[in-house]
Amino acid sequence: MKKIVSIVACVLFLWSCKSEVEKPEKLFSEEQMVDMIYDLTILEAIKNNNPSFLEDKSIDPYTYIYKKYKIDSLQFVQNNKYYASDVKEYAKIYEKVLSRIEQNKSEADTLMKKESKTTTLQPMSKDSILNIKKKVLKKLDRK
């Protein structure tokens, strides 16, 4: 009898753990999620690489995303949770983000090579790095 009660308890426990995540009222498309996660990734990379750059401009990555996409934090969290509940689909979203990052890195490397061929080989100044970061932020604003 103890075995049956234990098995039933385990089955109920496992069944209760696999609750479905409720679909948000305003469900973002997969492409919108890719865009938002991509923008957040770029902004977080800038923040980690040079924290003072975003701080000097009073830019918080999440606040920036909320304003850009005209959403609030709750909508983002609900959508992120919804997509994350399906690990395979969430992995596809991140694969698309990674692919876009790789593509942009490749484009940036090509531009850097072109620029280095037209100029003498001198180390980049802080102004050049800031200009690149400004271009990235402008590109994010256009999307």
Side-chain angles (χ1 to χ4, degrees):
M1 186 67 173
K2 283 185 178 182
K3 286 183 181 181
I4 293 173
V5 171
S6 297
I7 291 172
V8 170
C10 286
V11 169
L12 288 175
F13 177 73
L14 292 174
W15 180 68
S16 68
C17 287
K18 189 176 167 130
S19 62
E20 299 244 350
V21 174
E22 210 174 292
K23 187 176 180 178
E25 281 183 32
K26 183 180 179 187
L27 180 65
F28 305 144
S29 71
E30 195 173 301
E31 282 306 310
Q32 286 174 310
M33 283 302 292
V34 169
D35 291 342
M36 285 184 246
I37 293 171
Y38 170 80
D39 289 348
L40 271 174
T41 303
I42 296 298
L43 289 167
E44 288 293 333
I46 292 170
K47 182 178 173 182
N48 291 332
N49 187 40
N50 186 358
S52 63
F53 182 78
L54 293 178
E55 288 173 9
D56 292 346
K57 300 188 179 333
S58 301
I59 297 174
D60 172 61
Y62 285 93
T63 304
Y64 177 84
I65 295 302
Y66 302 149
K67 286 181 182 177
K68 180 178 178 182
Y69 292 97
K70 297 177 178 129
I71 61 171
D72 60 37
S73 59
L74 182 61
Q75 288 174 323
F76 181 78
V77 168
Q78 288 174 336
N79 276 270
N80 197 41
K81 183 178 177 182
Y82 177 77
Y83 280 107
S85 68
D86 184 351
V87 177
K88 289 180 182 177
E89 288 301 312
Y90 205 53
K92 287 179 187 176
I93 289 173
Y94 271 90
E95 286 172 10
K96 290 178 182 179
V97 170
L98 182 61
S99 173
R100 190 184 296 177
I101 289 171
E102 290 296 326
Q103 179 184 358
N104 288 343
K105 181 183 179 305
S106 162
E107 291 172 8
D109 290 344
T110 303
L111 289 173
M112 295 292 283
K113 285 179 186 176
K114 261 187 202 177
E115 190 173 307
S116 69
K117 285 181 182 178
T118 60
T119 60
T120 58
L121 296 175
Q122 297 176 357
M124 288 181 64
S125 69
K126 286 186 178 181
D127 290 338
S128 298
I129 294 170
L130 288 175
N131 287 335
I132 291 170
K133 288 180 181 176
K134 286 178 186 176
K135 287 178 185 177
V136 168
L137 287 174
K138 282 182 184 177
K139 190 173 183 179
L140 288 173
D141 281 337
R142 283 187 261 155
K143 289 188 177 182

